[in-house]
Amino acid sequence: MERVYSDRQRRSGVYERQEPFRLKIKTVSTPSEPTEDHRQQEVAAATRPRDALTPEDHLELLRQLYLARYFDVRLIKEKRRGRLRGTLYSSHNQEAILVGTLFGLKPDDWISPIHRDMPAFFLKDIRGRWDNPERKGMTIEEVCSQVWGKATAPGRARDNWSHIGDVKRGIIPSTSMLAGTIPVACGVAYDFKMKGLDNVVLTYNGEGSTAQGVFHEAVNLAAIHKLAVIVIIENNQWAYGTPVHLEVPTKDVADRAKGYGIPGLIADGQDVLDVYDKTMWAVDRARKGLGPSLIECKTFRAYGHGDHDDDRAARYRPADEVADGRSRDPIAVFKRYLVESKLLSEEDAARYSPEGKDAPSTTDQDFPPEVVNYLKRGVEFAIKAPLPEPDEAFRWVFAEGDGS
Amino acid sequence: MERVYSDRQRRSGVYERQEPFRLKIKTVSTPSEPTEDHRQQEVAAATRPRDALTPEDHLELLRQLYLARYFDVRLIKEKRRGRLRGTLYSSHNQEAILVGTLFGLKPDDWISPIHRDMPAFFLKDIRGRWDNPERKGMTIEEVCSQVWGKATAPGRARDNWSHIGDVKRGIIPSTSMLAGTIPVACGVAYDFKMKGLDNVVLTYNGEGSTAQGVFHEAVNLAAIHKLAVIVIIENNQWAYGTPVHLEVPTKDVADRAKGYGIPGLIADGQDVLDVYDKTMWAVDRARKGLGPSLIECKTFRAYGHGDHDDDRAARYRPADEVADGRSRDPIAVFKRYLVESKLLSEEDAARYSPEGKDAPSTTDQDFPPEVVNYLKRGVEFAIKAPLPEPDEAFRWVFAEGDGS
Amino acid sequence: MSVALSAPPIEKKNYLTALKDAIRFEMLRNPEMVCIGEDIGLLGGAFGVTEGLQEEFGPDRVIDAPISEAAIVGAAIGMALRGRPVMVEMQFIDFISCGFDQIVNNAATMAYRTAGKASVPIVIRGPSGGYGGGGPYHSQQNEAWFAHSPGLKVVCPSTPRDAYGLMISSLRDPNPVIFYEVKDLYRKREIEEEIPDDTIIPLGSASVVRPGSDITIISYGNPMHMCIKVAGMLADDGIEAELIDLRSLVPLDEDTIYRSVKKTGRVLVVNEASRTCGFAAEVIARVNENCFQYLDAPPLRVTRADTPVPWVQPLELAVLPSVEKVYEAALKVARF
Amino acid sequence: MSVALSAPPIEKKNYLTALKDAIRFEMLRNPEMVCIGEDIGLLGGAFGVTEGLQEEFGPDRVIDAPISEAAIVGAAIGMALRGRPVMVEMQFIDFISCGFDQIVNNAATMAYRTAGKASVPIVIRGPSGGYGGGGPYHSQQNEAWFAHSPGLKVVCPSTPRDAYGLMISSLRDPNPVIFYEVKDLYRKREIEEEIPDDTIIPLGSASVVRPGSDITIISYGNPMHMCIKVAGMLADDGIEAELIDLRSLVPLDEDTIYRSVKKTGRVLVVNEASRTCGFAAEVIARVNENCFQYLDAPPLRVTRADTPVPWVQPLELAVLPSVEKVYEAALKVARF
Ligand SMILES: Cc1ncc(C[n+]2csc(CCOP(=O)(O)OP(=O)(O)O)c2C)c(N)n1
Ligand SMILES: Cc1ncc(C[n+]2csc(CCOP(=O)(O)OP(=O)(O)O)c2C)c(N)n1
Ligand SMILES: [Mg+2]
Ligand SMILES: [Mg+2]
């Protein structure tokens, strides 16, 4: 039925019925072997974002994969040695998602990582400026301070693990409640829109978290107002002890996007460049004011849900499924690509090889010295840092200062 | 990636990955003029459910449309005369949805109507047995007692309007919180499934209510477990003072279904037979254990959100949109069909004509005497019925009896 | 005649207009401020509190949100993290239960979790309370849930002037404030009053509505007006009641309470919420902790019964506080 | 030697096993009963309370639900309306906030809205409480929200035997019960005890853990064990404390409380929830209403501070109750 508007409606722009975005990209089931549809999408995006990356960019990507992996194995070892308190949610085997989604962002873009994404806090805006104090990401010292629970942590260790943030550097402080930061991201993106900024917000969630009501409310809101929110779904096949098909009724989690008329892309979560391509396509679209996208990154959880779950996970997940899920280490996949495209020599590729190795069996020799030293600095800082004073516990229940 | 199962998984059937249902029905935008896709669906369903209806069934459908309309106009008049307390949410112009969805149900199927669906409480299981005390629907006396707020109401007038129910007759007692009964319907349907019953649950909600988080959680759960829940969406274009495109980002609300891989049908909410066809298709599918469907019934809210909103609604909704939205009165649409298909004579069709008339301008002469008398009985009963005693207010905070 | 020629008197405002004007005043003062809620724009709000705001400030600053309480609160938090004060309307405060997690776990703890580096200046307001035949889902007075959730401020005015002044302070507060509006008072003519635009009432300041020496009656919101009637009845009995309107529960003006109780030695607390773990219990516990030696009688409370609020009037009035119930309890305390 | 040949003694159970066995006992007794929650089947629950249940009763009766707290509670209500008792696990009680509306507005009011024609026999249980370094979202003790919501029963056992007996009663109760499990006690060796399978503890019965004449210490859950230590310390000071474990808050065993207070004239209430509007305030308010003349000292309370529960130990312990804090407060009351 043709719509007619009252003066009141016409005066307020929003009531003009916006023609709904028509989904151009079909989704594919197994990203490992790109299908027709899959390529269509890449064609759709005139040139692939990766084509604009320099050889140095490629090596930086590899360096960041090493860093994310090294951070993970080092923490796993520390935890097993009983040196850390709290639970450790390993991002092992999922690093390409973090590196690939963050690599192309602008410093003033926002992100909201979850428990599985600890490296994201220091990977944000690290590209080419690991030691620049001005960068809009957390320092390795801050992140290590958080892991060790010290007063030098961003939230002075008032909550554990990934429950940190920094509004000055565009990181939403998150609660434990899954999918709970997506509406917050909508609010941040709404502010961008009002200010005419072309920044975006990347939210990270696991596939299981898409079953939360607030996921729906937030994505629906973002779609209605065409907010620059990119919903990254790390589909690692398991939500704690529950397999994906008991959380999501469709074959692909990306299908959730269809309910909102927004693009639902599927990326090979083991391929940092595929993740980069899909992300930048969605980011570019969002910067143009065309609204949100959902990107399902297919991957596999290497260990237990948390380190406390490693033993039980070995029982509730069949060994062959785990072996299969870990068979395409993102470092190996990317190295192969670099060698094939002559961006890395066989020899250099062979020099540092943590890929495929279980955390405990990796050594510092498996990683480039700049990566080892970078983290060492953070760890040493954290270990020396003081615990917060007990009295602090009573502060900041309310913001200090009256704000008016 | 091919899935392998642990013994533990294999033992418990649910872990076999179920191939997701492939949506066969495309949705159409304007049900008024059926499109290619629309017909496709009807073909898909071998013969149309309506084809099995007898001439008497057709006249019964008309009778029920008269009854629903008469109930509405009578209440509107009573309210305007200040005889009723509480808000009245008119179902005027939306009656075909209630009559068409309920007509084909079995007595032991369940429903959960909302504020807009007051006639549903007595229309359930009324087909051909208006006065049968055994029927699994509320009596007109009970429903009128509820409207008048008397002790003879199903909930003894502890909550108003549509917040009533009856587990013995398959009506979920609902709260005010929109979409809040869909998960309850899932629980009821889950019990059907465990017991091997082929009954279904019909849930009613407006298009605006599909923005609620619990809508998503419940439909997702129903889809995962293939529960016999039919989600009826009465898209009357407005959620109180908010137009549909500020609640739903897609052109059709039926698109919500795509996010769950379940059928999303669109019915012409003004055409009782189209509503009947789409409903029975989904009901039949659900009875076979194939899971939930979502049916968007396109219609238009005739009056204000509630009677308190009539005046303001006239301001926030442009007159021509309202005129357009009310131009296809379900009684007129069905009468025309009956005459064209020789099931009703021109003369009989002309005898009772409330269609297109505004509530206050209709008279008892516009309705068949059996309809007028049926409601009169309920109203007289309600008016005579006693108010609950004040002391009752302190009872039933907890169920009485220890249940063990 | 000449009087007529002098400056026109400020016209009196009802409770609802006071709220509307306070919100508008802040929207004008602070171009960063945003309002979001269901039907607050085109419609102007179910009760009209935001009437005209969208026409004046546009649909970007006065947002007609989908029916998604959790996302509404979450989005408000996001805007607040970007430095915007946000007014969030719950169409009825009863529906706040659908946005509960975002309020108690996200907004409330932001300052704490970030060690004060971030804060959430949002006001979540909505019509609350019974006496209108709203039934279980349109009559709630659920402030105790939030008073029990650290990091939230909780406000409930009983007069147009307090409504205006507390709304101004709430909208300027860097913390999340849950603002309970007494819908039964929205259009009450008897309480209309003149309100200078610059009226500000700080959170955490109770008002002594009536001085008295024999008994302290503490209340807030709608029952406050019953207490005023009761004070008159008590005066006829020769009992001088001191009436305290808390106005804000968190923060709580303890000094005013204790000063009064130490004077009268007798306390009655009256509120509309259900009884168990309601705010009346909290006041009594604190009075015990701080004024025990001064008590000449047991501190009693008049509250709603521990039931939902039923719909039809005879039932509704049976469970809610009334002048009779308050008077009876006051006599019990005074004559103990 | 001959002793060894007689019937083997029932082996002692820890708090977690007691819960597991009670749930299993009811699953065996009532084939209609269903369990639903996140990761309760294949995994057996985050803490293992439902370990083995899915293998024994199958995936239909032990449902691995999606991460949808609201739908989980709603679905449980639907099954309950069809006559099935349902056990709902919240992975941590903190996440109950995401299913809040379905609990307080749907389950809690069903009997009331239907004038007793329908009821909702569901038990919503989960690990609660601090002292484990869980931080703000894995340490909550939020029972006051539900004690304040009419229509819900609220339970919190402090021993394996009570956990077993109260779980049996809760699963047989026709009303929704919110069951707080003290996760810090799940595997505490010191409190393991023998529990006959037929143990049943009715809701609403407190237990006098230790008789005494000088002061009544009322508590429940984890702090109960601090109170036991403190009672010993007080005894050394010549102060005989009577210890009451409430076990269930709604319904509340008022007789046991008042009988004791009238004897001792002195009361200390200890609980782990944040202070304002916590259940300790409710107990104090009722003691005032019923035992005022018997009070020789102000009833005091030891609670968590009005802050979230911070993560790192020095901060966490600073805000939570401790033996020292309880001892100090008890002396204050006893020596007043
Ligand atoms: C609302 C809510 N419910 C339950 C939990 C407990 N929980 C923490 S992580 C998790 C599984 C998450 O799975 P997924 O979203 O797939 O992320 P993944 O851990 O696999 O990366 C659960 C159930 C929670 N944090 N929040
Ligand atoms: C959770 C919740 N939020 C808000 C409301 C207030 N409310 C009642 S009806 C309504 C509009 C519903 O619109 P729609 O779902 O389209 O149904 P319609 O009234 O148009 O039939 C609103 C916002 C509510 N009842 N529940
Ligand atoms: Mg996962
Ligand atoms: Mg509608």
Side-chain angles (χ1 to χ4, degrees):
Chain A
M1 147 202 345
E2 233 335 294
R3 179 167 296 274
V4 192
Y5 299 93
S6 65
D7 302 355
R8 204 148 161 200
Q9 285 177 310
R10 226 177 283 93
R11 247 175 278 121
S12 66
V14 289
Y15 297 98
E16 313 295 338
R17 174 186 279 283
Q18 305 125 335
E19 265 317 303
F21 170 79
R22 288 257 148 274
L23 191 55
K24 286 185 199 60
I25 302 125
K26 290 255 207 59
T27 56
V28 297
S29 52
T30 52
S32 29
E33 326 110 43
T35 68
E36 204 45 47
D37 302 334
H38 189 70
R39 287 194 215 87
Q40 262 173 27
Q41 187 274 318
E42 294 184 355
V43 175
T47 63
R48 297 184 308 176
R50 71 171 70 177
D51 300 339
L53 295 176
T54 67
E56 167 50 25
D57 290 332
H58 285 78
L59 298 181
E60 168 76 1
L61 277 167
L62 179 60
R63 221 175 282 121
Q64 292 188 19
L65 286 173
Y66 277 125
L67 178 58
R69 173 64 53 86
Y70 185 61
F71 177 82
D72 189 75
V73 298
R74 174 74 191 263
L75 261 46
I76 290 175
K77 288 185 188 175
E78 294 283 345
K79 187 71 200 294
R80 294 194 181 176
R81 293 205 197 91
R83 294 199 192 147
L84 298 179
R85 221 170 153 237
T87 307
L88 183 150
Y89 302 91
S90 170
S91 50
H92 208 101
N93 198 47
Q94 303 185 204
E95 298 92 343
I97 300 171
L98 302 176
V99 173
T101 51
L102 294 167
F103 198 71
L105 297 189
K106 297 181 183 177
D108 290 332
D109 290 329
W110 280 52
I111 66 170
S112 118
I114 54 154
H115 55 282
R116 190 75 55 206
D117 312 317
M118 206 60 189
F121 293 98
F122 57 77
L123 288 177
K124 180 173 190 284
D125 194 31
I126 197 175
R127 181 177 182 176
R129 43 197 232 161
W130 290 30
D131 296 317
N132 184 333
E134 297 304 305
R135 70 188 190 84
K136 295 291 184 75
M138 291 183 184
T139 66
I140 196 71
E141 288 82 359
E142 288 172 296
V143 177
C144 289
S145 296
Q146 169 65 7
V147 174
W148 264 261
K150 299 303 184 76
T152 45
R156 302 187 67 81
R158 283 147 169 272
D159 197 359
N160 55 22
W161 199 240
S162 65
H163 304 150
I164 48 175
D166 183 344
V167 294
K168 291 208 169 45
R169 287 173 290 184
I171 302 173
I172 296 173
S174 81
T175 71
S176 273
M177 285 62 180
L178 296 168
T181 56
I182 310 180
V184 180
C186 289
V188 170
Y190 192 89
D191 175 73
F192 291 159
K193 192 178 176 184
M194 286 182 80
K195 289 205 175 76
L197 299 171
D198 72 350
N199 291 107
V200 303
V201 190
L202 262 56
T203 66
Y204 295 79
N205 287 280
E207 79 290 347
S209 304
T210 66
Q212 270 289 310
V214 74
F215 166 89
H216 170 72
E217 292 193 1
V219 177
N220 189 57
L221 182 67
I224 288 169
H225 290 279
K226 298 204 181 306
L227 302 175
V229 175
I230 315 292
V231 180
I232 307 289
I233 303 301
E234 306 167 277
N235 179 3
N236 61 7
Q237 312 303 322
W238 287 85
Y240 207 153
T242 305
V244 58
H245 63 284
L246 289 181
E247 301 278 0
V248 180
T250 54
K251 191 158 122 301
D252 298 310
V253 180
D255 290 344
R256 295 255 193 236
K258 297 178 183 172
Y260 312 100
I262 65 174
L265 292 77
I266 292 182
D268 175 355
Q270 308 311 103
D271 177 348
V272 70
L273 288 178
D274 192 47
V275 171
Y276 176 76
D277 277 343
K278 303 291 164 46
T279 306
M280 293 317 291
W281 183 88
V283 166
D284 181 56
R285 186 171 177 281
R287 294 203 197 284
K288 292 196 190 110
L290 296 175
S293 295
L294 184 153
I295 305 175
E296 173 187 8
C297 300
K298 292 194 186 277
T299 183
F300 190 84
R301 197 185 75 203
Y303 296 104
H305 172 59
D307 62 290
H308 63 286
D309 184 51
D310 288 343
D311 302 344
R312 288 191 301 172
R315 270 179 274 124
Y316 65 74
R317 303 199 305 182
D320 39 13
E321 179 188 340
V322 175
D324 182 17
R326 294 184 58 169
S327 62
R328 297 177 59 246
D329 188 304
I331 294 177
V333 170
F334 190 48
K335 266 196 196 171
R336 199 178 316 120
Y337 173 91
L338 290 174
V339 171
E340 284 165 4
S341 43
K342 308 267 180 291
L343 290 160
L344 191 70
S345 70
E346 294 276 3
E347 183 188 27
D348 288 346
R351 189 166 291 122
Y352 306 112
S353 300
E355 58 264 36
K357 293 186 185 162
D358 216 7
S361 58
T362 53
T363 70
D364 287 2
Q365 282 61 49
D366 293 322
F367 299 90
E370 67 266 39
V371 164
V372 173
N373 296 331
Y374 194 73
L375 181 58
K376 180 178 273 132
R377 230 177 50 207
V379 173
E380 280 167 3
F381 177 90
I383 289 170
K384 283 202 218 70
L387 276 169
E389 290 301 318
D391 288 357
E392 275 190 32
F394 304 95
R395 284 190 66 184
W396 300 304
V397 172
F398 292 104
E400 293 169 1
D402 74 354
S404 57
Chain B
M1 153 200 334
E2 233 335 292
R3 178 165 296 273
V4 193
Y5 300 93
S6 65
D7 302 353
R8 205 151 159 196
Q9 285 178 310
R10 228 175 281 91
R11 244 175 281 119
S12 64
V14 291
Y15 297 97
E16 314 294 339
R17 174 186 280 281
Q18 305 123 339
E19 265 318 303
F21 170 80
R22 289 258 149 271
L23 190 56
K24 287 182 198 64
I25 302 123
K26 290 254 206 56
T27 56
V28 296
S29 52
T30 50
S32 30
E33 327 108 42
T35 69
E36 204 46 45
D37 304 333
H38 189 68
R39 286 194 217 86
Q40 264 173 26
Q41 186 275 319
E42 295 181 355
V43 175
T47 62
R48 298 183 307 175
R50 71 171 72 177
D51 302 337
L53 296 177
T54 66
E56 168 49 25
D57 289 332
H58 285 77
L59 299 181
E60 169 76 2
L61 278 167
L62 180 60
R63 221 174 283 123
Q64 292 187 20
L65 286 174
Y66 277 124
L67 178 58
R69 174 64 52 85
Y70 185 60
F71 177 81
D72 189 75
V73 298
R74 174 75 191 262
L75 261 46
I76 289 175
K77 289 184 188 179
E78 294 283 345
K79 187 71 199 292
R80 294 193 181 176
R81 293 205 197 92
R83 295 198 192 149
L84 298 178
R85 223 171 150 233
T87 306
L88 183 149
Y89 301 93
S90 171
S91 50
H92 207 101
N93 198 47
Q94 303 185 205
E95 297 92 342
I97 299 170
L98 302 176
V99 173
T101 50
L102 294 167
F103 198 71
L105 296 189
K106 297 182 184 177
D108 290 332
D109 290 330
W110 279 51
I111 65 170
S112 117
I114 54 154
H115 55 283
R116 190 74 57 207
D117 312 318
M118 207 60 190
F121 293 99
F122 57 78
L123 288 177
K124 180 173 189 283
D125 194 30
I126 196 174
R127 181 177 182 176
R129 42 196 232 164
W130 290 31
D131 296 316
N132 184 333
E134 298 303 305
R135 70 189 192 85
K136 294 291 185 72
M138 291 183 184
T139 65
I140 196 70
E141 287 82 1
E142 288 173 293
V143 177
C144 289
S145 295
Q146 168 65 7
V147 174
W148 264 261
K150 300 304 185 74
T152 45
R156 301 188 68 82
R158 283 147 170 273
D159 198 359
N160 55 22
W161 199 240
S162 66
H163 304 150
I164 48 175
D166 183 344
V167 293
K168 292 206 169 43
R169 288 174 290 185
I171 303 174
I172 296 173
S174 81
T175 71
S176 273
M177 286 60 181
L178 296 167
T181 56
I182 310 180
V184 180
C186 289
V188 170
Y190 192 89
D191 175 72
F192 290 159
K193 192 177 176 184
M194 287 181 79
K195 290 205 175 76
L197 299 172
D198 73 350
N199 291 108
V200 302
V201 190
L202 262 57
T203 65
Y204 295 80
N205 286 279
E207 78 289 346
S209 303
T210 65
Q212 270 289 310
V214 75
F215 165 89
H216 170 72
E217 292 193 0
V219 177
N220 188 58
L221 182 67
I224 288 169
H225 289 278
K226 299 206 183 302
L227 302 176
V229 175
I230 315 293
V231 181
I232 308 290
I233 303 301
E234 306 167 279
N235 178 3
N236 60 7
Q237 312 303 323
W238 287 86
Y240 208 152
T242 305
V244 58
H245 64 282
L246 289 180
E247 300 277 1
V248 180
T250 54
K251 190 158 123 300
D252 297 310
V253 180
D255 290 346
R256 295 252 192 238
K258 297 177 182 172
Y260 311 100
I262 64 173
L265 291 76
I266 292 183
D268 175 354
Q270 308 311 104
D271 177 349
V272 70
L273 288 178
D274 192 47
V275 172
Y276 177 76
D277 278 341
K278 303 292 166 45
T279 304
M280 294 317 292
W281 183 89
V283 166
D284 181 56
R285 185 170 177 280
R287 294 203 197 284
K288 293 197 190 108
L290 297 175
S293 296
L294 185 152
I295 305 175
E296 174 188 8
C297 299
K298 293 199 187 271
T299 183
F300 190 83
R301 197 185 75 205
Y303 296 104
H305 172 59
D307 61 291
H308 62 286
D309 185 52
D310 289 341
D311 303 344
R312 287 192 302 174
R315 272 181 273 120
Y316 64 73
R317 303 200 304 184
D320 38 13
E321 178 188 340
V322 176
D324 182 15
R326 294 183 58 171
S327 62
R328 296 178 59 249
D329 188 305
I331 295 177
V333 170
F334 190 48
K335 266 196 198 172
R336 198 177 315 119
Y337 174 90
L338 291 174
V339 171
E340 284 164 3
S341 42
K342 307 268 180 291
L343 290 161
L344 191 70
S345 70
E346 293 278 3
E347 184 187 25
D348 288 345
R351 190 165 290 122
Y352 307 110
S353 301
E355 59 263 35
K357 293 185 187 165
D358 217 5
S361 57
T362 52
T363 69
D364 287 2
Q365 281 61 48
D366 294 321
F367 299 91
E370 66 266 39
V371 164
V372 173
N373 296 331
Y374 194 73
L375 180 58
K376 180 177 275 136
R377 232 178 50 209
V379 172
E380 279 166 5
F381 176 90
I383 289 171
K384 283 201 218 72
L387 277 169
E389 289 302 316
D391 288 357
E392 278 190 30
F394 305 96
R395 286 190 65 183
W396 300 304
V397 172
F398 292 104
E400 294 170 0
D402 74 353
S404 55
Chain C
M1 263 326 193
S2 57
V3 180
L5 294 175
S6 69
I10 321 172
E11 107 285 18
K12 293 185 165 193
K13 289 176 183 173
N14 64 24
Y15 190 100
L16 186 142
T17 307
L19 290 164
K20 185 211 305 265
D21 291 353
I23 293 165
R24 180 167 177 272
F25 187 91
E26 284 302 293
M27 284 290 278
L28 285 166
R29 188 185 73 89
N30 185 347
E32 290 288 300
M33 180 178 158
V34 170
C35 298
I36 184 170
E38 293 154 19
D39 313 301
I40 67 170
L42 186 61
L43 174 66
F47 288 87
V49 173
T50 56
E51 182 71 55
L53 286 187
Q54 189 178 70
E55 286 188 277
E56 181 171 6
F57 300 102
D60 289 351
R61 287 185 65 195
V62 181
I63 307 167
D64 273 317
I67 306 172
S68 308
E69 284 76 11
I72 288 169
V73 174
I77 293 170
M79 291 187 255
L81 289 181
R82 294 282 297 175
R84 296 181 183 276
V86 184
M87 182 284 273
V88 174
E89 171 170 305
M90 290 286 155
Q91 196 158 84
F92 282 81
I93 209 67
D94 311 53
F95 303 128
I96 203 167
S97 55
C98 295
F100 194 74
D101 173 68
Q102 286 290 325
I103 297 171
V104 301
N105 283 321
N106 203 348
T109 61
M110 185 66 73
Y112 196 79
R113 287 181 280 137
T114 60
K117 293 198 199 74
S119 68
V120 178
I122 68 179
V123 175
I124 300 172
R125 47 157 290 276
S128 69
Y131 302 98
Y137 309 114
H138 293 75
S139 310
Q140 292 179 23
Q141 195 68 44
N142 47 34
E143 68 277 2
W145 288 336
F146 303 102
H148 184 60
S149 305
L152 298 174
K153 295 190 175 182
V154 181
V155 174
C156 184
S158 68
T159 70
R161 190 175 161 282
D162 289 353
Y164 184 97
L166 288 168
M167 180 57 75
I168 296 284
S169 298
S170 298
L171 289 169
R172 295 181 188 182
D173 198 282
N175 300 287
V177 179
I178 316 296
F179 196 105
Y180 285 80
E181 301 172 355
V182 183
K183 62 172 172 297
D184 189 49
L185 298 178
Y186 272 160
R187 297 189 160 84
K188 271 244 163 65
R189 284 210 148 274
E190 313 86 274
I191 64 170
E192 289 182 0
E193 57 189 332
E194 296 180 355
I195 309 169
D197 287 354
D198 58 2
T199 302
I200 295 181
I201 295 167
L203 306 188
S205 73
S207 73
V208 177
V209 175
R210 179 189 193 279
S213 51
D214 304 332
I215 177 175
T216 301
I217 300 181
I218 300 170
S219 187
Y220 57 92
N222 210 358
M224 198 61 223
H225 299 282
M226 298 174 190
C227 297
I228 292 171
K229 284 201 190 68
V230 168
M233 294 158 71
L234 291 171
D236 299 340
D237 303 329
I239 300 166
E240 292 306 322
E242 178 149 299
L243 293 190
I244 296 177
D245 184 342
L246 294 179
R247 302 197 293 199
S248 96
L249 312 185
V250 183
L252 182 67
D253 182 352
E254 301 193 35
D255 296 350
T256 300
I257 295 172
Y258 304 151
R259 194 198 31 65
S260 176
V261 174
K262 287 175 179 172
K263 179 175 64 178
T264 64
R266 297 165 189 276
V267 195
L268 176 68
V269 188
V270 182
N271 76 343
E272 196 183 318
S274 58
R275 191 174 189 79
T276 299
C277 287
F279 201 79
E282 178 62 27
V283 172
I284 289 170
R286 294 196 196 184
V287 163
N288 271 270
E289 289 157 355
N290 296 279
C291 314
F292 183 76
Q293 310 95 302
Y294 300 85
L295 291 176
D296 303 317
L300 298 186
R301 47 183 171 163
V302 174
T303 70
R304 183 178 107 215
D306 276 331
T307 72
V309 180
W311 170 42
V312 289
Q313 206 166 34
L315 303 190
E316 181 182 25
L317 297 182
V319 305
L320 289 171
S322 66
V323 168
E324 297 64 36
K325 294 173 189 171
V326 175
Y327 178 60
E328 188 184 315
L331 283 182
K332 217 173 182 179
V333 174
R335 302 229 165 112
F336 184 84
Chain D
M1 263 322 193
S2 56
V3 179
L5 293 174
S6 70
I10 321 174
E11 106 285 18
K12 293 184 164 196
K13 291 176 181 173
N14 64 23
Y15 189 100
L16 187 142
T17 307
L19 290 164
K20 186 211 306 262
D21 291 353
I23 294 165
R24 179 166 177 273
F25 187 91
E26 283 302 293
M27 284 290 279
L28 286 166
R29 189 186 71 89
N30 186 346
E32 290 288 300
M33 181 179 158
V34 169
C35 298
I36 184 169
E38 294 154 17
D39 313 301
I40 66 168
L42 186 62
L43 173 68
F47 288 87
V49 173
T50 56
E51 182 71 55
L53 286 187
Q54 190 178 69
E55 287 189 274
E56 181 171 5
F57 300 101
D60 289 350
R61 286 184 67 194
V62 181
I63 307 167
D64 273 317
I67 306 171
S68 308
E69 284 75 11
I72 288 170
V73 174
I77 293 171
M79 291 187 254
L81 290 180
R82 293 282 299 176
R84 296 181 182 277
V86 184
M87 182 283 273
V88 174
E89 170 170 305
M90 289 286 155
Q91 196 157 85
F92 283 82
I93 208 67
D94 311 53
F95 304 128
I96 203 166
S97 56
C98 295
F100 195 74
D101 174 67
Q102 285 290 325
I103 298 171
V104 302
N105 284 320
N106 202 349
T109 62
M110 186 66 74
Y112 196 79
R113 288 181 281 135
T114 59
K117 292 198 199 73
S119 69
V120 179
I122 68 178
V123 175
I124 301 173
R125 47 155 292 275
S128 68
Y131 302 97
Y137 309 115
H138 293 75
S139 310
Q140 293 180 21
Q141 194 68 44
N142 47 32
E143 68 277 2
W145 289 335
F146 303 102
H148 184 60
S149 304
L152 299 174
K153 295 189 175 182
V154 181
V155 173
C156 184
S158 69
T159 71
R161 190 175 160 283
D162 289 354
Y164 183 96
L166 289 167
M167 180 58 75
I168 296 284
S169 298
S170 298
L171 289 169
R172 295 181 187 182
D173 198 281
N175 300 287
V177 178
I178 315 295
F179 197 106
Y180 285 80
E181 301 172 355
V182 182
K183 63 173 171 299
D184 189 49
L185 299 177
Y186 272 160
R187 297 191 160 83
K188 270 244 163 68
R189 282 209 149 277
E190 314 87 275
I191 63 170
E192 289 182 358
E193 56 189 333
E194 296 180 357
I195 308 170
D197 288 354
D198 57 4
T199 302
I200 296 181
I201 294 168
L203 307 187
S205 72
S207 73
V208 177
V209 175
R210 179 188 194 281
S213 52
D214 304 333
I215 177 175
T216 302
I217 301 181
I218 300 170
S219 187
Y220 58 92
N222 211 356
M224 199 61 223
H225 299 283
M226 299 175 188
C227 296
I228 292 171
K229 286 202 188 67
V230 169
M233 295 159 69
L234 291 170
D236 299 340
D237 303 329
I239 300 168
E240 292 306 324
E242 178 148 299
L243 292 190
I244 296 177
D245 185 342
L246 293 179
R247 302 199 293 198
S248 95
L249 312 185
V250 182
L252 182 66
D253 182 353
E254 301 192 34
D255 296 350
T256 300
I257 296 173
Y258 304 151
R259 194 197 32 64
S260 177
V261 174
K262 288 173 179 174
K263 177 175 65 178
T264 65
R266 298 166 188 276
V267 195
L268 176 67
V269 188
V270 182
N271 76 343
E272 194 182 319
S274 58
R275 191 173 189 82
T276 299
C277 287
F279 201 79
E282 178 61 27
V283 172
I284 290 171
R286 294 197 197 184
V287 163
N288 271 269
E289 290 156 355
N290 296 279
C291 313
F292 184 75
Q293 310 96 300
Y294 299 86
L295 291 176
D296 303 318
L300 298 186
R301 46 182 174 166
V302 174
T303 70
R304 184 178 107 213
D306 276 331
T307 72
V309 180
W311 169 42
V312 290
Q313 207 166 33
L315 303 191
E316 182 182 25
L317 296 182
V319 305
L320 289 171
S322 66
V323 168
E324 296 64 36
K325 293 172 189 172
V326 175
Y327 179 60
E328 189 184 314
L331 283 182
K332 219 179 189 169
V333 173
R335 304 232 166 108
F336 184 83

